[in-house]
Amino acid sequence: FTGPTNDDFTPGTVILLDNVIARYQKNGVTVNERGSRGYLHDNRIQGSGANPIIAQNGVQFGFGAVGKIEDNLITVNEYTLDTFDGSGVILTQAGENVSVKDNDILRNDVGVFVDGTRRARVEENKVHDSPSDGIALTEAVGSAGRRHEVVARDGTRVLLVKPIDVPTYVEYGVADIGI
């Protein structure tokens, strides 16, 4: 959707259902600019793995773009140098109310990175084997997350829930402790 210069673009809509997206350069899927919309559902988005050349991202919504990223497998976006991280999903100055829900996000440097995005909804994802952050929110005003399972490389499982839900998870044996 981006034209030859940053000021020259045509917004559009992309609907991706049940695809395999692999062997890409920087991003598997990019939806950028105000007026653009993306709907990604039931896709397998796979980076090249440990990469010293480019920090790949599975999905990027940015600069005013909106939409939904749901029920996808997003994996192996890894950068081997210490300067940047590869991300499964990156929302960078995306439009309001972008939804990232019910995805399996594994073996990315950062699972979900939300930066400068208002009211993003990051919910019910399974994020695991991320050597950096599972879910990172920076300058994400009003963005919220609910019920995420983060699995460390050593197998430790952490369930991230809203504070009001902690007693219920502990009472019914879903969690051993609540912090």
Side-chain angles (χ1 to χ4, degrees), residues 158-167 169-170 175-179:
V158 177
L159 192 62
L160 304 176
V161 298
K162 291 193 173 194
I164 195 166
D165 295 336
V166 170
Y169 281 92
V170 174
D176 294 326
I177 61 171
I179 301 173

Side-chain angles (χ1 to χ4, degrees), residues 46-126:
Q46 182 174 336
S48 63
N51 186 330
I53 306 298
I54 193 165
Q56 292 181 309
N57 301 303
V59 177
Q60 175 181 306
F61 277 35
F63 313 106
V66 297
K68 296 180 179 185
I69 304 162
E70 298 179 343
D71 294 306
N72 300 285
L73 170 63
I74 304 169
T75 187
V76 292
N77 292 282
E78 302 168 308
Y79 187 54
T80 58
L81 302 180
D82 291 333
T83 51
F84 298 100
D85 287 319
S87 297
V89 175
I90 182 169
L91 307 179
T92 181
Q93 299 173 30
E96 292 188 6
N97 300 312
V98 173
S99 173
V100 180
K101 184 175 181 181
D102 288 325
N103 298 287
D104 193 6
I105 302 171
L106 70 134
R107 291 189 49 213
N108 302 284
D109 291 331
V110 176
V112 179
F113 182 58
V114 181
D115 179 51
T117 298
R118 297 173 57 86
R119 295 195 246 312
R121 303 294 303 176
V122 181
E123 301 180 302
E124 301 177 22
N125 297 286
K126 184 174 182 184

